[in-house]
Every structure is written in C-alpha cells, then in structure tokens.
Amino acid sequence: MTNEINLEKGVPVAVEPVPGSLEFWAAERRDDIAIVDGDRRLSYGDWNDLADALADAMSDAGLGKGSVVVVRLQIRHEWAIVAAACAKLGCEILGLNWRLTPSEVGYILRNSHAQALICDDERPDALLSTPEEFPLRLRVSFDSSVGGFLAWNDLVSRHARPRFSKEEAPLIIYTSGTTGFPKGVKVGKVAPRSSITELREYMQSVTQVRARTADEIVLITLPMHHGAGPATVRAALATGSLMVFLRRFDPEAVLALIDRERVTSWTAVPTMYKRLASLPDDVIARYDVSSLKMLGIGAEPTTPELKQWIVDHFGPILWESYGSTETGMICALMPAQQAIRPQSSGLPHRHVTIEIRDPDGQSLPAGTDGEVWVRTPVTITNYVNAAALGQDTLDDRGFFRTGDIGRLDTEGYVFITGRAKDMIISGGVNIYPAEIEAAICKHPAVQDAAVVGIPDIEFGEQVKAVVELKPGASLEKAALLSFVSPLLASYKRPKTVDIVDALPRNTMGKLLKRELRDPYWVGRERQV
C-alpha cells in the first residue's frame, strides 16, 4: 500500500494499484518488457515512470479531470504513455488522424474543446496557423520545439511523484467525416437505457471472444484514431500482455515481426490481409508464423475467399468482429463458426439487439436485406458537444441506425452486405456494390475493387467498377467483364471498368468510395 497526497483535500490517503492497471504491473513486474517499438524495449516500470513524469507536466499546465488531450501520433508506443498519464489525471484522450489537414485539425480542436495537443508532425506549428485561436494549455511535439510546442523528451525526463489511476482514460474518437464534418464519440459510455450490470456483462461478452493471458504477444498495426487501436492497447495492458508496435504497415514486415517476436495475436483490416495474400508464396514461407494463436479481422465486410486464404496459411484461428464507433462491438464470428457461416459476421454479443428494417422503419423477416438498426449498452445518444440524435438516427427504443445493409438468418447470424449510402438504384432496382465487388475479387489478378454508381440518362445510375490489381499482375478490362458475367445478373454487371494503381483508402484501409464517385456527379442537381 502506498501513501499519496490528495492535492484537492491536502491529506494523505491510502492508495493501492487497481488490478490490471499500469501501476499494478509496474509493482508486480517492474522489469518485465511491456512494449516493443522498433529497437525500443520498454519495461512496465519505465513505462509507468514516463507516464508519471508526463502527468506531472500536464498537471503543471493546468490539465486535470475532464480535460481533453488531443493525440496525433503514428502507430507508436508513446500513445500508451499518454493514455496512462491521462488515466492518472482523469483527462480524456482524443485520437486524431495524422492525415487530417490543418483546417480539419482546427475544426476538431474547437469542436472538442481541446486543452492540449500532442503530435509527432515534422512541422507541428503548421497545424495551428493561428495559435491564438486555440486556447490550448499545452502543446507537445516529438521532434521540435517550434511555434510554442514543448519538446516531448523535456517533459518525460523530469522526476515525478507516483500517481495512481482509478480507471482508464475516457476515449474520444472522431468519425471519418466522409459526409459533412467529422463527429466525436465518447467510446464505451453506458447508454441511458442500460444498467451497470448490463454494461459489465456486455463487456465480458466482448472480451471473452478474444480472451488474452499474460503470456500473449500482441502485434499492433491499427491506428489510434480508430476504436480498434486503443482497444487493443487497453486489452493488452489489462492482462499484462506484451505489445509490439509497427508504425507503418508493410506485409513482409508483419511476417518478420511475427517471426522475430513470436507474436501470438494480431488484429487487422481486410486490406492488410489482402496485401499479405499478394506476397509471393516463397516470401510467406520464409517466416515462421507458428506462434500465432489468434487473428482478428473487421472494419468492413470480408469475402469468404479471403477468410479461406487466411485459414489455409495460418490455421483455424480467425475471429471476425462487426461494430461501429457509435454502438461499440455488435457481434463476432469465432473460428469454429467460420466453416458454418463463412459469409456471416457472427452472432450478437450479450445485451445486443439487432433489427433489420425497410426504408419506412418496419422490421423485416429473417433472410431479407434491409437497414441494420442496433441497440447495445454503449449506444450513444449524441455526438460530442452536439444535440441529441434525431429519430432518423436513434429511435425511442434506443436503436441506432448504422447505415449498413444486411440481414439476419433464422439462427440469429448477422450478414452485412453493404452500406446504405453506397447502394446504387438503376432503373428502380436496388443494387448492392458489395456483391459485385466480391465477384470481381474472385479473379486471381485482382487485389481489390470498388463499385460505385455514376449517372446514366436512361436508368438514373449505372454500375462502374474501379479495380486494383495484385503487384505484377495484368488484366484487360474486357477479360474481367467476361469473367464476372456468369457470376452476376445482367443488371448488376459493371457497364465500365477502370484499372488503377491503387484505390483511395483511409488510414484504417477502408475504401474511400466518395473520391471515386463524386467527380461524376459534379454540377448535377441530384446525386442519384
């Protein structure tokens, strides 16, 4: 037991580390390595000392409970230090996409009422063109101390008294902003209709899907401005698992790290697995991946062919998850279920209810495609510093409109078939791009495909495919159209095909279809 001074009341109080917290592992396993990041190896004790020092500096700057700390970093271990420091002070941590422009950064700083910014930009001063506009108490940079930014090393090298966290730092994630301005979500906050017991049982259901132990070695390749990246860090810390960070995704580098560090667990998006699959067989065979016990996949629908490739190369260890920033995790498909329902995203977690509805909001029977509405114990009621959600997004029963198209089968398995906003209406017929993309991706030369609707005088919209080939592959457009012809009904077949070097994606690897679709609709009164 450690004596700590309560600064608010000025009296000594007895403090014990919360089990699973950084302070707990620093006391129990101080010299054990907790994090690997390139050549850097950080023990639990050093991690905790750095977090104490940073918390001290943040406190001196006037940050405390409820302060929003914006963190714009590559996939690097310092995220874990900042998250721990925020937990010690009760600050909220906001993961910010490193690809956002200064104007986009400025919008989020203002919208979130941020009080601190920590970044690893080469020119951090360029983020704040008019710093006076942003009332930040603290600005921290990793590589320079220009424009009012303090140097990271100066802050974490100070000697500081121990601090103890009571719970994890609240996490804020901003949506990608593919339509309109990005919107902030406080992740994991209990919904008004749910009890603490339901929240606890729901979280247990989510974590038990991929239960970890202290001997796990977790590879992290997902960014911290998406819910999955911070969730992986939190889960690893809770069980005392070793974390291995990879700052820039490279498929062969992933295999090399799995081999070198004996990685047991890795969660990635379909694009990352597709890039692994595009490596020559002799390159894949060069690395020992037998240490893997769990592979996770999510963020967008996955084709059965890709799932089968993963199982063939790594064994029956694939977990698939489906969720959203606004609702948390919704369902999971475990390895044993992959052979039973390979096209499914799995069964709902405990205390999760899913309804499939038509455009008028009426529930649809099993086996019928419609819009996916979800109620979970962490479904949001409003975005950060915004009004309550309207009935078109959150109904009176607490169901959230995900924007996905899908169906349920008679046993409750969830099948996600596309996005409502991606749907193409041609001659009055609804066409779902995901089905067409899956057919195109069956061609051995195709790495990935995006299908969008473009203007058509007669039918309103026509189907257009944009295709990315595997490295070194070649394919004629006519040959591809001929290949998919027997796989798709005539009205679903692409009318035109473009073959590009690379499809536009965000940092999570999700396709940015708007960038492909919008140029065709410029100047038109209607977008469908």
Side-chain angles (χ1 to χ4, degrees), residues 266-499:
W266 179 44
T267 298
V269 295
T271 299
M272 294 178 177
Y273 286 108
K274 289 175 184 177
R275 291 181 178 172
L276 273 181
S278 69
L279 292 173
D281 289 340
D282 62 319
V283 173
I284 297 175
R286 196 178 300 159
Y287 300 96
D288 180 1
V289 296
S290 61
S291 59
L292 285 169
K293 299 177 182 177
M294 190 285 288
L295 289 172
I297 194 168
E300 61 183 2
T302 308
T303 64
E305 291 79 13
L306 181 58
K307 291 182 185 181
Q308 190 59 52
W309 181 90
I310 295 169
V311 171
D312 290 343
H313 282 75
F314 300 102
I317 58 172
L318 182 64
W319 275 257
E320 182 174 1
S321 294
Y322 166 58
S324 75
T325 307
E326 291 88 348
T327 65
M329 300 313 299
I330 296 169
C331 62
L333 187 72
M334 297 196 230
Q337 299 167 326
Q338 293 287 350
I340 303 171
R341 297 287 194 281
Q343 293 181 308
S344 169
S345 292
L347 294 169
H349 293 294
R350 192 172 183 185
H351 299 303
V352 172
T353 307
I354 300 172
E355 290 186 356
I356 307 299
R357 301 180 184 178
D358 66 17
D360 295 324
Q362 300 301 309
S363 293
L364 294 169
T368 306
D369 279 348
E371 288 202 51
V372 180
W373 289 70
V374 175
R375 183 176 62 201
T376 78
V378 294
T379 300
I380 68 168
T381 57
N382 64 284
Y383 290 101
V384 169
N385 298 320
L389 295 172
Q391 286 286 321
D392 60 335
T393 304
L394 185 72
D395 70 13
D396 288 335
R397 295 162 54 223
F399 280 83
F400 182 86
R401 187 181 194 175
T402 65
D404 289 323
I405 298 294
R407 66 181 182 276
L408 294 170
D409 69 9
T410 55
E411 295 183 39
Y413 281 87
V414 182
F415 295 77
I416 303 301
T417 56
R419 291 285 295 170
K421 64 182 179 62
D422 291 338
M423 187 176 70
I424 300 167
I425 304 176
S426 183
V429 177
N430 295 345
I431 300 173
Y432 300 108
E435 180 184 2
I436 304 168
E437 291 160 357
I440 294 171
C441 287
K442 290 179 183 292
H443 194 288
V446 173
Q447 170 113 300
D448 213 344
V451 169
V452 297
I454 64 173
D456 185 281
I457 294 175
E458 182 179 0
F459 295 100
E461 285 186 282
Q462 65 172 253
V463 178
K464 182 178 185 62
V466 185
V467 177
E468 177 183 329
L469 301 182
K470 293 179 179 177
S474 62
L475 180 64
E476 294 295 326
K477 298 177 184 179
L480 178 60
L481 291 172
S482 176
F483 175 83
V484 300
S485 180
L487 303 177
L488 298 166
S490 59
Y491 68 91
K492 299 178 185 177
R493 296 169 194 160
K495 300 298 184 290
T496 58
V497 175
D498 287 347
I499 295 177

Side-chain angles (χ1 to χ4, degrees), residues 79-101:
W79 168 274
I81 297 171
V82 179
C86 286
K88 290 172 184 287
L89 294 177
C91 296
E92 300 179 3
I93 185 169
L94 189 161
L96 187 63
N97 190 336
W98 64 76
R99 289 185 177 175
L100 296 184
T101 65

